[in-house]
Amino acid sequence: MDEKKIDNEMSRRRQLHDRNVHDVVELLERRQELRGIYPMADLVADNVGWVV
């Protein structure tokens, strides 16, 4: 693989990761009853809150 192709793929993966984290946080903000069901999602949502 050439360097540009690798850089493009890495950038795409970062964008997908950011989008997925955002979606989890948004979902837990809208649906408070989901908190506590999946502890890892709670952890992600809480940590993102501290970063922002």
Side-chain angles (χ1 to χ4, degrees):
M1 290 184 117
D2 66 2
E3 184 106 4
K4 185 173 179 164
K5 201 171 192 180
I6 292 171
D7 288 342
N8 287 343
E9 182 63 22
M10 293 298 290
S11 176
R12 186 183 74 81
R13 287 178 185 230
R14 267 194 294 285
Q15 289 173 349
L16 289 174
H17 177 266
D18 292 345
R19 185 182 73 195
N20 289 338
V21 169
H22 174 267
D23 290 346
V24 168
V25 171
E26 185 179 306
L27 175 65
L28 290 176
E29 286 176 355
R30 282 187 290 128
R31 307 252 330 260
Q32 292 294 317
E33 71 274 10
L34 296 177
R35 284 212 174 258
I37 293 175
Y38 187 60
M40 191 63 186
D42 293 342
L43 181 66
V44 167
D46 292 340
N47 287 330
V48 168
W50 283 102
V51 171
V52 177

Tab-separated table of all heavy atoms in Angstrom:
chain	number	residue	atom	x	y	z
A	1	MET	N	0.844	-1.191	0.000
A	1	MET	CA	0.000	0.000	0.000
A	1	MET	C	0.884	1.247	0.000
A	1	MET	O	1.922	1.263	0.637
A	1	MET	CB	-0.874	0.047	1.247
A	1	MET	CG	-1.959	-0.957	1.315
A	1	MET	SD	-2.949	-0.688	2.790
A	1	MET	CE	-4.478	-0.310	2.053
A	2	ASP	N	0.422	2.240	-0.680
A	2	ASP	CA	1.203	3.468	-0.660
A	2	ASP	C	0.826	4.313	0.564
A	2	ASP	O	-0.189	4.105	1.207
A	2	ASP	CB	1.056	4.248	-1.956
A	2	ASP	CG	-0.349	4.781	-2.181
A	2	ASP	OD1	-1.211	4.588	-1.307
A	2	ASP	OD2	-0.577	5.398	-3.227
A	3	GLU	N	1.678	5.263	0.860
A	3	GLU	CA	1.531	6.096	2.066
A	3	GLU	C	0.220	6.880	2.072
A	3	GLU	O	-0.444	6.989	3.098
A	3	GLU	CB	2.708	7.062	2.139
A	3	GLU	CG	2.708	7.898	3.370
A	3	GLU	CD	3.762	7.460	4.346
A	3	GLU	OE1	4.537	6.549	4.032
A	3	GLU	OE2	3.786	8.029	5.413
A	4	LYS	N	-0.177	7.412	0.932
A	4	LYS	CA	-1.404	8.209	0.860
A	4	LYS	C	-2.642	7.354	1.159
A	4	LYS	O	-3.557	7.787	1.848
A	4	LYS	CB	-1.528	8.851	-0.515
A	4	LYS	CG	-2.706	9.775	-0.621
A	4	LYS	CD	-2.724	10.527	-1.911
A	4	LYS	CE	-3.958	11.393	-1.908
A	4	LYS	NZ	-3.934	12.411	-2.880
A	5	LYS	N	-2.650	6.143	0.658
A	5	LYS	CA	-3.782	5.241	0.894
A	5	LYS	C	-3.899	4.907	2.387
A	5	LYS	O	-5.000	4.883	2.943
A	5	LYS	CB	-3.578	3.971	0.077
A	5	LYS	CG	-4.824	3.189	-0.196
A	5	LYS	CD	-4.530	2.084	-1.190
A	5	LYS	CE	-5.806	1.474	-1.687
A	5	LYS	NZ	-5.567	0.402	-2.647
A	6	ILE	N	-2.769	4.691	3.024
A	6	ILE	CA	-2.768	4.394	4.465
A	6	ILE	C	-3.273	5.608	5.243
A	6	ILE	O	-4.096	5.467	6.154
A	6	ILE	CB	-1.358	3.979	4.923
A	6	ILE	CG1	-1.000	2.628	4.318
A	6	ILE	CG2	-1.280	3.924	6.446
A	6	ILE	CD1	0.441	2.219	4.530
A	7	ASP	N	-2.791	6.802	4.901
A	7	ASP	CA	-3.236	8.023	5.580
A	7	ASP	C	-4.738	8.242	5.409
A	7	ASP	O	-5.427	8.613	6.360
A	7	ASP	CB	-2.484	9.242	5.052
A	7	ASP	CG	-1.035	9.277	5.504
A	7	ASP	OD1	-0.700	8.578	6.487
A	7	ASP	OD2	-0.244	9.998	4.865
A	8	ASN	N	-5.237	7.998	4.215
A	8	ASN	CA	-6.681	8.149	3.972
A	8	ASN	C	-7.488	7.173	4.817
A	8	ASN	O	-8.528	7.534	5.379
A	8	ASN	CB	-6.999	7.945	2.496
A	8	ASN	CG	-6.546	9.099	1.633
A	8	ASN	OD1	-6.284	10.183	2.125
A	8	ASN	ND2	-6.442	8.851	0.342
A	9	GLU	N	-7.031	5.946	4.904
A	9	GLU	CA	-7.741	4.938	5.700
A	9	GLU	C	-7.712	5.286	7.185
A	9	GLU	O	-8.717	5.147	7.880
A	9	GLU	CB	-7.130	3.554	5.456
A	9	GLU	CG	-7.812	2.438	6.189
A	9	GLU	CD	-9.266	2.215	5.787
A	9	GLU	OE1	-9.666	2.625	4.684
A	9	GLU	OE2	-10.011	1.619	6.592
A	10	MET	N	-6.587	5.756	7.673
A	10	MET	CA	-6.480	6.145	9.082
A	10	MET	C	-7.406	7.319	9.388
A	10	MET	O	-8.065	7.351	10.424
A	10	MET	CB	-5.036	6.493	9.436
A	10	MET	CG	-4.093	5.315	9.394
A	10	MET	SD	-4.531	4.027	10.572
A	10	MET	CE	-4.126	4.833	12.089
A	11	SER	N	-7.469	8.271	8.489
A	11	SER	CA	-8.358	9.418	8.669
A	11	SER	C	-9.819	8.981	8.681
A	11	SER	O	-10.612	9.433	9.509
A	11	SER	CB	-8.115	10.414	7.542
A	11	SER	OG	-9.005	11.482	7.634
A	12	ARG	N	-10.169	8.095	7.774
A	12	ARG	CA	-11.544	7.581	7.718
A	12	ARG	C	-11.915	6.864	9.003
A	12	ARG	O	-13.000	7.059	9.550
A	12	ARG	CB	-11.692	6.629	6.533
A	12	ARG	CG	-13.120	6.156	6.291
A	12	ARG	CD	-13.194	5.163	5.148
A	12	ARG	NE	-12.680	3.869	5.512
A	12	ARG	CZ	-13.360	2.939	6.198
A	12	ARG	NH1	-14.598	3.178	6.564
A	12	ARG	NH2	-12.820	1.780	6.485
A	13	ARG	N	-11.006	6.071	9.531
A	13	ARG	CA	-11.281	5.340	10.775
A	13	ARG	C	-11.436	6.283	11.964
A	13	ARG	O	-12.268	6.067	12.830
A	13	ARG	CB	-10.189	4.319	11.041
A	13	ARG	CG	-10.268	3.139	10.112
A	13	ARG	CD	-9.154	2.159	10.360
A	13	ARG	NE	-9.186	1.102	9.378
A	13	ARG	CZ	-9.135	-0.172	9.699
A	13	ARG	NH1	-9.021	-0.544	10.942
A	13	ARG	NH2	-9.184	-1.080	8.760
A	14	ARG	N	-10.634	7.350	12.002
A	14	ARG	CA	-10.769	8.333	13.085
A	14	ARG	C	-12.133	9.006	13.030
A	14	ARG	O	-12.778	9.199	14.052
A	14	ARG	CB	-9.668	9.389	12.983
A	14	ARG	CG	-8.432	9.072	13.798
A	14	ARG	CD	-7.514	10.264	13.940
A	14	ARG	NE	-6.909	10.721	12.705
A	14	ARG	CZ	-5.921	10.127	12.063
A	14	ARG	NH1	-5.402	9.016	12.533
A	14	ARG	NH2	-5.442	10.634	10.955
A	15	GLN	N	-12.572	9.357	11.828
A	15	GLN	CA	-13.878	9.997	11.679
A	15	GLN	C	-15.004	9.062	12.114
A	15	GLN	O	-15.953	9.489	12.769
A	15	GLN	CB	-14.086	10.442	10.235
A	15	GLN	CG	-13.224	11.603	9.839
A	15	GLN	CD	-13.321	11.916	8.357
A	15	GLN	OE1	-13.873	11.142	7.579
A	15	GLN	NE2	-12.779	13.051	7.966
A	16	LEU	N	-14.903	7.788	11.740
A	16	LEU	CA	-15.929	6.818	12.149
A	16	LEU	C	-15.939	6.647	13.660
A	16	LEU	O	-17.006	6.573	14.271
A	16	LEU	CB	-15.689	5.471	11.457
A	16	LEU	CG	-15.978	5.426	9.964
A	16	LEU	CD1	-15.555	4.080	9.391
A	16	LEU	CD2	-17.436	5.700	9.669
A	17	HIS	N	-14.775	6.594	14.265
A	17	HIS	CA	-14.690	6.446	15.719
A	17	HIS	C	-15.331	7.640	16.412
A	17	HIS	O	-16.126	7.488	17.336
A	17	HIS	CB	-13.228	6.306	16.151
A	17	HIS	CG	-13.074	6.218	17.631
A	17	HIS	ND1	-12.825	7.331	18.396
A	17	HIS	CD2	-13.154	5.168	18.485
A	17	HIS	CE1	-12.753	6.972	19.663
A	17	HIS	NE2	-12.949	5.669	19.749
A	18	ASP	N	-15.009	8.850	15.945
A	18	ASP	CA	-15.588	10.052	16.534
A	18	ASP	C	-17.099	10.061	16.389
A	18	ASP	O	-17.816	10.424	17.318
A	18	ASP	CB	-15.004	11.308	15.879
A	18	ASP	CG	-13.534	11.506	16.206
A	18	ASP	OD1	-13.029	10.860	17.146
A	18	ASP	OD2	-12.886	12.310	15.513
A	19	ARG	N	-17.577	9.652	15.232
A	19	ARG	CA	-19.025	9.632	14.993
A	19	ARG	C	-19.708	8.625	15.914
A	19	ARG	O	-20.751	8.910	16.497
A	19	ARG	CB	-19.308	9.294	13.528
A	19	ARG	CG	-20.787	9.376	13.196
A	19	ARG	CD	-21.057	9.001	11.778
A	19	ARG	NE	-20.892	7.569	11.644
A	19	ARG	CZ	-20.771	6.926	10.511
A	19	ARG	NH1	-20.786	7.575	9.389
A	19	ARG	NH2	-20.631	5.623	10.472
A	20	ASN	N	-19.101	7.448	16.081
A	20	ASN	CA	-19.700	6.422	16.931
A	20	ASN	C	-19.747	6.861	18.388
A	20	ASN	O	-20.739	6.643	19.073
A	20	ASN	CB	-18.939	5.103	16.795
A	20	ASN	CG	-19.160	4.446	15.455
A	20	ASN	OD1	-20.133	4.709	14.769
A	20	ASN	ND2	-18.229	3.591	15.064
A	21	VAL	N	-18.676	7.473	18.873
A	21	VAL	CA	-18.657	7.964	20.253
A	21	VAL	C	-19.716	9.040	20.427
A	21	VAL	O	-20.463	9.031	21.409
A	21	VAL	CB	-17.250	8.491	20.624
A	21	VAL	CG1	-17.289	9.249	21.942
A	21	VAL	CG2	-16.259	7.344	20.706
A	22	HIS	N	-19.813	9.941	19.478
A	22	HIS	CA	-20.825	11.004	19.543
A	22	HIS	C	-22.228	10.407	19.609
A	22	HIS	O	-23.069	10.863	20.379
A	22	HIS	CB	-20.685	11.921	18.327
A	22	HIS	CG	-21.762	12.952	18.249
A	22	HIS	ND1	-22.915	12.756	17.539
A	22	HIS	CD2	-21.871	14.162	18.822
A	22	HIS	CE1	-23.696	13.808	17.664
A	22	HIS	NE2	-23.074	14.685	18.439
A	23	ASP	N	-22.483	9.393	18.810
A	23	ASP	CA	-23.808	8.771	18.774
A	23	ASP	C	-24.156	8.112	20.104
A	23	ASP	O	-25.290	8.194	20.565
A	23	ASP	CB	-23.898	7.745	17.643
A	23	ASP	CG	-23.893	8.395	16.261
A	23	ASP	OD1	-24.082	9.636	16.173
A	23	ASP	OD2	-23.675	7.666	15.281
A	24	VAL	N	-23.189	7.468	20.744
A	24	VAL	CA	-23.437	6.838	22.048
A	24	VAL	C	-23.772	7.902	23.084
A	24	VAL	O	-24.732	7.771	23.856
A	24	VAL	CB	-22.213	6.002	22.504
A	24	VAL	CG1	-22.338	5.594	23.965
A	24	VAL	CG2	-22.060	4.769	21.629
A	25	VAL	N	-22.996	8.971	23.106
A	25	VAL	CA	-23.238	10.046	24.071
A	25	VAL	C	-24.609	10.673	23.848
A	25	VAL	O	-25.367	10.891	24.793
A	25	VAL	CB	-22.117	11.106	23.987
A	25	VAL	CG1	-22.454	12.328	24.824
A	25	VAL	CG2	-20.792	10.501	24.414
A	26	GLU	N	-24.931	10.937	22.596
A	26	GLU	CA	-26.227	11.541	22.278
A	26	GLU	C	-27.386	10.621	22.686
A	26	GLU	O	-28.380	11.069	23.245
A	26	GLU	CB	-26.298	11.845	20.784
A	26	GLU	CG	-27.555	12.585	20.389
A	26	GLU	CD	-27.560	12.886	18.904
A	26	GLU	OE1	-26.588	13.482	18.409
A	26	GLU	OE2	-28.552	12.497	18.252
A	27	LEU	N	-27.247	9.343	22.422
A	27	LEU	CA	-28.291	8.390	22.791
A	27	LEU	C	-28.499	8.356	24.301
A	27	LEU	O	-29.635	8.384	24.782
A	27	LEU	CB	-27.922	6.987	22.288
A	27	LEU	CG	-28.874	5.859	22.697
A	27	LEU	CD1	-30.245	6.063	22.069
A	27	LEU	CD2	-28.291	4.515	22.316
A	28	LEU	N	-27.413	8.319	25.065
A	28	LEU	CA	-27.545	8.267	26.518
A	28	LEU	C	-28.083	9.570	27.099
A	28	LEU	O	-28.709	9.568	28.154
A	28	LEU	CB	-26.207	7.904	27.162
A	28	LEU	CG	-25.769	6.460	26.919
A	28	LEU	CD1	-24.383	6.210	27.507
A	28	LEU	CD2	-26.762	5.468	27.502
A	29	GLU	N	-27.862	10.686	26.404
A	29	GLU	CA	-28.456	11.942	26.853
A	29	GLU	C	-29.959	11.952	26.616
A	29	GLU	O	-30.720	12.442	27.441
A	29	GLU	CB	-27.807	13.127	26.129
A	29	GLU	CG	-26.423	13.442	26.622
A	29	GLU	CD	-25.768	14.555	25.834
A	29	GLU	OE1	-26.358	15.032	24.828
A	29	GLU	OE2	-24.655	14.948	26.210
A	30	ARG	N	-30.383	11.397	25.485
A	30	ARG	CA	-31.815	11.376	25.159
A	30	ARG	C	-32.582	10.337	25.958
A	30	ARG	O	-33.735	10.554	26.320
A	30	ARG	CB	-32.018	11.073	23.667
A	30	ARG	CG	-31.783	12.249	22.761
A	30	ARG	CD	-32.153	11.932	21.316
A	30	ARG	NE	-31.182	10.982	20.773
A	30	ARG	CZ	-31.484	9.831	20.176
A	30	ARG	NH1	-32.732	9.475	20.026
A	30	ARG	NH2	-30.555	9.034	19.719
A	31	ARG	N	-31.948	9.214	26.224
A	31	ARG	CA	-32.642	8.090	26.865
A	31	ARG	C	-31.947	7.723	28.174
A	31	ARG	O	-31.153	6.803	28.248
A	31	ARG	CB	-32.649	6.885	25.927
A	31	ARG	CG	-33.191	7.181	24.539
A	31	ARG	CD	-34.537	6.623	24.211
A	31	ARG	NE	-34.937	5.414	24.826
A	31	ARG	CZ	-34.896	4.194	24.275
A	31	ARG	NH1	-34.433	4.043	23.062
A	31	ARG	NH2	-35.325	3.152	24.935
A	32	GLN	N	-32.229	8.468	29.206
A	32	GLN	CA	-31.583	8.272	30.499
A	32	GLN	C	-31.847	6.880	31.077
A	32	GLN	O	-31.049	6.369	31.853
A	32	GLN	CB	-32.056	9.343	31.490
A	32	GLN	CG	-31.573	10.737	31.150
A	32	GLN	CD	-30.064	10.854	31.275
A	32	GLN	OE1	-29.470	10.356	32.213
A	32	GLN	NE2	-29.449	11.504	30.310
A	33	GLU	N	-32.945	6.247	30.673
A	33	GLU	CA	-33.252	4.909	31.192
A	33	GLU	C	-32.246	3.854	30.716
A	33	GLU	O	-32.179	2.752	31.263
A	33	GLU	CB	-34.684	4.481	30.830
A	33	GLU	CG	-34.926	4.159	29.375
A	33	GLU	CD	-35.271	5.367	28.504
A	33	GLU	OE1	-35.155	6.518	28.964
A	33	GLU	OE2	-35.667	5.142	27.355
A	34	LEU	N	-31.455	4.179	29.713
A	34	LEU	CA	-30.449	3.233	29.219
A	34	LEU	C	-29.179	3.223	30.055
A	34	LEU	O	-28.389	2.288	29.971
A	34	LEU	CB	-30.086	3.561	27.761
A	34	LEU	CG	-31.212	3.407	26.751
A	34	LEU	CD1	-30.737	3.839	25.376
A	34	LEU	CD2	-31.692	1.972	26.718
A	35	ARG	N	-28.988	4.235	30.869
A	35	ARG	CA	-27.788	4.274	31.711
A	35	ARG	C	-27.785	3.082	32.655
A	35	ARG	O	-28.800	2.697	33.198
A	35	ARG	CB	-27.744	5.560	32.519
A	35	ARG	CG	-27.337	6.721	31.665
A	35	ARG	CD	-26.572	7.720	32.499
A	35	ARG	NE	-26.063	8.776	31.671
A	35	ARG	CZ	-24.790	8.849	31.279
A	35	ARG	NH1	-23.939	7.942	31.647
A	35	ARG	NH2	-24.389	9.837	30.539
A	36	GLY	N	-26.624	2.487	32.790
A	36	GLY	CA	-26.475	1.357	33.695
A	36	GLY	C	-26.644	-0.003	33.027
A	36	GLY	O	-26.297	-1.021	33.611
A	37	ILE	N	-27.165	-0.030	31.809
A	37	ILE	CA	-27.367	-1.305	31.116
A	37	ILE	C	-26.045	-1.838	30.577
A	37	ILE	O	-25.738	-3.019	30.706
A	37	ILE	CB	-28.396	-1.155	29.975
A	37	ILE	CG1	-29.766	-0.865	30.582
A	37	ILE	CG2	-28.437	-2.404	29.110
A	37	ILE	CD1	-30.838	-0.571	29.572
A	38	TYR	N	-25.256	-0.960	29.983
A	38	TYR	CA	-23.958	-1.356	29.424
A	38	TYR	C	-22.895	-0.423	29.995
A	38	TYR	O	-22.742	0.708	29.536
A	38	TYR	CB	-24.003	-1.285	27.894
A	38	TYR	CG	-22.764	-1.834	27.223
A	38	TYR	CD1	-22.370	-3.153	27.407
A	38	TYR	CD2	-21.984	-1.035	26.420
A	38	TYR	CE1	-21.235	-3.654	26.799
A	38	TYR	CE2	-20.849	-1.520	25.801
A	38	TYR	CZ	-20.484	-2.834	25.999
A	38	TYR	OH	-19.352	-3.331	25.402
A	39	PRO	N	-22.181	-0.867	31.016
A	39	PRO	CA	-21.247	0.006	31.731
A	39	PRO	C	-20.201	0.684	30.843
A	39	PRO	O	-19.813	1.821	31.090
A	39	PRO	CB	-20.571	-0.927	32.737
A	39	PRO	CG	-21.543	-2.039	32.927
A	39	PRO	CD	-22.234	-2.193	31.608
A	40	MET	N	-19.754	0.020	29.791
A	40	MET	CA	-18.748	0.632	28.931
A	40	MET	C	-19.312	1.864	28.227
A	40	MET	O	-18.619	2.869	28.069
A	40	MET	CB	-18.247	-0.387	27.910
A	40	MET	CG	-17.048	0.063	27.160
A	40	MET	SD	-15.673	0.288	28.292
A	40	MET	CE	-14.491	0.970	27.183
A	41	ALA	N	-20.573	1.826	27.829
A	41	ALA	CA	-21.202	2.984	27.199
A	41	ALA	C	-21.310	4.136	28.196
A	41	ALA	O	-21.079	5.293	27.846
A	41	ALA	CB	-22.579	2.617	26.660
A	42	ASP	N	-21.628	3.828	29.444
A	42	ASP	CA	-21.675	4.862	30.483
A	42	ASP	C	-20.308	5.506	30.659
A	42	ASP	O	-20.192	6.727	30.780
A	42	ASP	CB	-22.131	4.271	31.815
A	42	ASP	CG	-23.577	3.800	31.798
A	42	ASP	OD1	-24.330	4.218	30.901
A	42	ASP	OD2	-23.930	3.016	32.688
A	43	LEU	N	-19.275	4.690	30.667
A	43	LEU	CA	-17.917	5.186	30.833
A	43	LEU	C	-17.531	6.118	29.680
A	43	LEU	O	-16.979	7.197	29.899
A	43	LEU	CB	-16.936	4.014	30.911
A	43	LEU	CG	-15.469	4.370	31.099
A	43	LEU	CD1	-15.250	5.022	32.456
A	43	LEU	CD2	-14.616	3.123	30.976
A	44	VAL	N	-17.847	5.709	28.468
A	44	VAL	CA	-17.544	6.547	27.297
A	44	VAL	C	-18.280	7.873	27.398
A	44	VAL	O	-17.685	8.941	27.208
A	44	VAL	CB	-17.913	5.819	25.980
A	44	VAL	CG1	-17.898	6.781	24.805
A	44	VAL	CG2	-16.973	4.655	25.740
A	45	ALA	N	-19.554	7.832	27.715
A	45	ALA	CA	-20.352	9.053	27.794
A	45	ALA	C	-19.820	9.984	28.884
A	45	ALA	O	-19.703	11.197	28.673
A	45	ALA	CB	-21.812	8.710	28.050
A	46	ASP	N	-19.452	9.442	30.021
A	46	ASP	CA	-18.929	10.262	31.114
A	46	ASP	C	-17.578	10.864	30.757
A	46	ASP	O	-17.325	12.046	31.027
A	46	ASP	CB	-18.804	9.442	32.394
A	46	ASP	CG	-20.159	9.049	32.957
A	46	ASP	OD1	-21.172	9.694	32.597
A	46	ASP	OD2	-20.205	8.087	33.752
A	47	ASN	N	-16.707	10.078	30.138
A	47	ASN	CA	-15.379	10.590	29.785
A	47	ASN	C	-15.448	11.646	28.699
A	47	ASN	O	-14.678	12.595	28.728
A	47	ASN	CB	-14.454	9.444	29.373
A	47	ASN	CG	-14.027	8.626	30.558
A	47	ASN	OD1	-13.926	9.115	31.666
A	47	ASN	ND2	-13.765	7.357	30.328
A	48	VAL	N	-16.331	11.489	27.754
A	48	VAL	CA	-16.472	12.501	26.706
A	48	VAL	C	-16.961	13.800	27.315
A	48	VAL	O	-16.538	14.880	26.942
A	48	VAL	CB	-17.412	12.012	25.583
A	48	VAL	CG1	-17.791	13.147	24.647
A	48	VAL	CG2	-16.747	10.888	24.808
A	49	GLY	N	-17.819	13.702	28.302
A	49	GLY	CA	-18.295	14.906	28.989
A	49	GLY	C	-17.160	15.669	29.642
A	49	GLY	O	-17.150	16.907	29.644
A	50	TRP	N	-16.201	14.984	30.203
A	50	TRP	CA	-15.055	15.643	30.824
A	50	TRP	C	-14.151	16.275	29.782
A	50	TRP	O	-13.555	17.320	30.020
A	50	TRP	CB	-14.241	14.639	31.648
A	50	TRP	CG	-14.882	14.333	32.949
A	50	TRP	CD1	-15.601	13.225	33.275
A	50	TRP	CD2	-14.894	15.172	34.122
A	50	TRP	NE1	-16.049	13.309	34.546
A	50	TRP	CE2	-15.633	14.488	35.096
A	50	TRP	CE3	-14.361	16.403	34.408
A	50	TRP	CZ2	-15.835	15.031	36.370
A	50	TRP	CZ3	-14.566	16.937	35.682
A	50	TRP	CH2	-15.292	16.244	36.625
A	51	VAL	N	-14.009	15.663	28.632
A	51	VAL	CA	-13.115	16.182	27.597
A	51	VAL	C	-13.686	17.445	26.983
A	51	VAL	O	-12.968	18.396	26.715
A	51	VAL	CB	-12.872	15.115	26.498
A	51	VAL	CG1	-12.142	15.712	25.323
A	51	VAL	CG2	-12.111	13.941	27.067
A	52	VAL	N	-14.983	17.445	26.759
A	52	VAL	CA	-15.636	18.589	26.117
A	52	VAL	C	-15.752	19.670	27.133
A	52	VAL	O	-15.367	20.724	27.120
A	52	VAL	CB	-17.050	18.226	25.616
A	52	VAL	CG1	-17.738	19.415	25.020
A	52	VAL	CG2	-16.952	17.093	24.631
